[in-house]
Amino acid sequence: MFLHLSFIWIKIVNVNEFQELAKQALPKIYYDFYSGGAEDQHTLKENVEAFTRIMFRPRVLVDVSKIDTSTRILGYPISSPIMIAPAAMHMLAHPEGETAAAKAAAACNTIMIVSFMASCTIEEVASSCNTVKFLQIYVYKQREVTAQMVKRAEKAGFKAIVLTVDVPKLGRREADIKNKLISPKLKNFEGLFSTELRPSEGSGMEAVASRGLDASFSWKDIEWLRSITKLQILVKGILTREDALKAVEAGVDGIVVSNHGARQLDYSPATITVLEEVVHVVGRRIPVLLEGGIRRGTDVFKALALGAKAVLIGRPVVYGLVAKGEDGVKKVIDMLKNEFELTMALSGCPTIHDITRNHVRPSKDEPRSHLSWSLISFGFSVASFSLLFDMDQIVNVNEFQEMAKRALPKMYYDYFNGGAEDEHTVKENVEAFHRIMFRPRVLVDVSKIDMSTSVLGYPISAPIMIAPVALLKLAHPEGEIATARAAAACNTIMIVSYMSSCTIEEVASSCNAVRFLQIYVFKKHEIAQMVIRAEKAGFKAIVLTNAPRIGKREADIKNKMISPQLKNFGSLFPTEVQPIKGSGLETLSSTALDSSFGWKDIDWLRSITKLPILIKGILTREDALKAVEAGVDGIVVSNHGGRQLDYSPATITVLEEVVHVVRGRIPVLFDGGVRRGSDVFKALALGAQAVIIGRPLAYALAAKGEDGVKQGIEMLKNEFELTMALSGCPTIGDITRNHVKTEAERLHSML
């Protein structure tokens, strides 16, 4: 292996190529630790890709016979604006760990920021060479742990403290969870805090973080840190103008624009996309550094043109360390410096001071998700499928889909999975969430998170409800009964489908969950009997779905989907259809659905029930206003899971339009494309009171019945809770429109 890597080493021509060397050399558990990001790893990709959308505006006929890349950070001269970012546990990458990286920094005349979680001690790194070193820190619940580290660093000659402020809790790093990453014993903490954990499940790093990190640390506590050191203090993890201003007001000496290498809150913005926002509010009062996605010297130039004083390099340095220790790190830094120097020359900039905003042009084209419509886009590889039948290996709700695909007959899987025609809207429902970025707030006390809310006065543990899905016995023998029990166990509301396999009475008697009944209006108004039965059985609301006709679901047509007899309808209406061609559901709907039902008929529905009435299927401000005028009790923004009119908008893209016209007069719920707890947060930030989950829970039901549905809901709740914490929102009421940035807003900011 060594000879093979040495041969490849000779052929390395850019820093990206070190990653493959590291992948070959490291055990998978360690490579995944360094390379991985949070959840779907969207921000991990976007950190790099966002640079590719910034174009140059080079100047010609400038004397560039001499190029000076040197600069100063906090008064310390460095040969180029390229510094080494803090990265934990370097000894997992190379036996010499941080001492090798520090020696490389000295050889390249730059600054190294040493991680709080370093493998080598502060004193070992300090004595290894004479480079300028800063210490990155977290604040622990046991403040003395942090205090002792800071005092040791100051005594050892470190020149600044870099306080990381975006980790009240550790982000959900699913590779580490799957690998059951072991947290090794770190010498820096000897006698202060035990870091060695071998978890029975999950990640050891996560276990250490939950035991150590002080989630209550906030801006006011900067004074405590200043009281224990004379060193300059930078804050790392700023992504918004609001927090940048707070940092200046707190009197810190510098800011690092960072999303923690995309390892904390997925769908945080790429750091280069928010750099100007931070620089603008800071002005020249303190230096602004940038971390995240730098892979080329051209990226360094772009960051400086947008206002950064210098950049921090993380993963490439680690990969260079893996490949060839100190020499590998030196080569990474020198490659970036050489590319940066060339970029300066070709842009007509002899010195750092000549680089201006006018030298770059950020693209006005909105960043689009390049994730394909496949399970790969949800953050796990095909190789992991062999593990999926072990429920302990499931780490997000997307992974239930492959389990369902394996467990169900193709006809039934296609029924639950499919959409209308080209299935454009099915894909877009999910992908539209990827284009909404977070604006997280830091240093907020999130030691206690309250997700609870209420819908129509009924309290639920989190704003996550179960959507109406028909024929659940096709997924599992216990069908809607198993789903209702899971709803009760998770203290949430289930909306039972009009086309449920189990009867209204069976579902009602199965548990004490709050239930709503979703209905269609049939030509013969058999609906009246169903509504009366639901009210008698203790259902709490009626959800009227707009479906004058069924959408063209081509998978069901190809499969000649059978429509079974449903007990709910008894002798009221025959539902069993075995078509000669096409879909049985299509045949059934064409004979049953009342396409003449209009707004005026809401009064008829109100005349047969005292239950609150919600309208499901609203996608425009006009219809939202009509719903309010009709006196309904709530709205569900929905495109029927992309199963009706293809090329309808993704529901998340029209949510604000509906919320704006409703103006809080009735609750607005949201349906469509929610696959992460972060999606729940986005929907609430845009005005939804709660979300309803359909396909993921049907897949979970197919995988493991009631337990699968419970696990699916709990996963979403846990991710939502983590998103609240990482966004600085202790309660539902703290989630505001200001916590997210939509596609349209980002487009506007580029103009």
Side-chain angles (χ1 to χ4, degrees), residues 392-407:
D392 292 335
Q393 294 291 332
I394 294 286
V395 296
N396 64 63
V397 299
N398 296 301
E399 296 182 349
F400 283 112
Q401 184 169 354
E402 180 61 21
M403 294 184 76
K405 188 174 183 179
R406 291 187 171 196

Side-chain angles (χ1 to χ4, degrees), residues 267-280:
Y267 297 95
S268 290
T271 49
I272 192 65
T273 67
V274 297
L275 174 59
E276 277 196 290
E277 171 182 332
V278 171
V279 168
H280 179 72

Side-chain angles (χ1 to χ4, degrees), residues 402-416:
E402 180 61 21
M403 294 184 76
K405 188 174 183 179
R406 291 187 171 196
L408 294 175
K410 182 178 183 298
M411 176 186 286
Y412 297 162
Y413 174 76
D414 287 351
Y415 165 69
F416 289 119

Side-chain angles (χ1 to χ4, degrees), residues 346-578:
L346 296 179
S347 297
C349 298
T351 72
I352 296 289
H353 302 295
D354 295 311
I355 301 172
T356 70
R357 178 61 175 78
N358 203 38
H359 282 92
V360 295
R361 185 176 62 194
S363 173
K364 290 184 173 61
D365 297 328
E366 173 63 7
R368 295 284 177 173
S369 170
H370 300 292
L371 304 178
S372 62
W373 178 247
S374 68
L375 289 168
I376 300 298
S377 72
F378 294 125
F380 63 97
S381 68
V382 174
S384 69
F385 288 166
S386 62
L387 301 174
L388 287 176
F389 278 103
D390 182 352
M391 291 289 284
D392 292 335
Q393 294 291 332
I394 294 286
V395 296
N396 64 63
V397 299
N398 296 301
E399 296 182 349
F400 283 112
Q401 184 169 354
E402 180 61 21
M403 294 184 76
K405 188 174 183 179
R406 291 187 171 196
L408 294 175
K410 182 178 183 298
M411 176 186 286
Y412 297 162
Y413 174 76
D414 287 351
Y415 165 69
F416 289 119
N417 180 63
E421 298 187 0
D422 297 333
E423 300 188 330
H424 171 87
T425 300
V426 174
K427 306 178 187 77
E428 184 63 8
N429 270 353
V430 175
E431 293 179 358
F433 276 102
H434 299 168
R435 298 191 292 271
I436 300 173
M437 308 307 293
F438 288 112
R439 301 184 73 251
R441 306 304 301 273
V442 297
L443 293 178
V444 176
D445 185 349
V446 289
S447 53
K448 294 181 180 179
I449 300 292
D450 182 5
M451 299 182 289
S452 65
T453 188
S454 63
V455 173
L456 296 183
Y458 298 102
I460 52 178
S461 61
I464 299 169
M465 298 164 53
I466 299 179
V469 178
L471 309 174
L472 285 182
K473 278 193 175 180
L474 300 184
H476 188 275
E478 294 184 355
E480 290 79 10
I481 290 174
T483 308
R485 288 173 179 161
C490 296
N491 188 19
T492 193
I493 295 169
M494 176 183 179
I495 306 177
V496 180
S497 171
Y498 192 60
M499 303 292 289
S500 65
S501 306
C502 302
T503 68
I504 288 169
E505 292 76 14
E506 287 172 338
V507 177
S509 63
S510 66
C511 62
N512 62 355
V514 174
R515 294 168 294 275
F516 299 170
L517 177 67
Q518 173 264 333
I519 61 169
Y520 302 105
V521 177
F522 278 16
K523 293 174 181 175
K524 295 183 179 179
H525 284 198
E526 292 85 354
I527 180 179
Q529 289 299 315
M530 299 280 276
V531 170
I532 293 166
R533 285 167 54 199
E535 189 166 355
K536 183 179 179 181
F539 280 61
K540 302 302 182 184
I542 299 298
V543 181
L544 173 63
T545 294
N546 172 55
R549 295 177 63 178
I550 196 170
K552 190 170 186 282
R553 304 169 190 176
E554 296 184 357
D556 292 345
I557 294 170
K558 288 182 178 182
N559 291 333
K560 296 183 179 179
M561 175 69 182
I562 297 167
S563 175
Q565 181 61 40
L566 299 176
K567 292 190 290 181
N568 254 330
F569 290 91
S571 60
L572 290 174
F573 190 88
T575 60
E576 188 171 14
V577 178
Q578 298 200 21

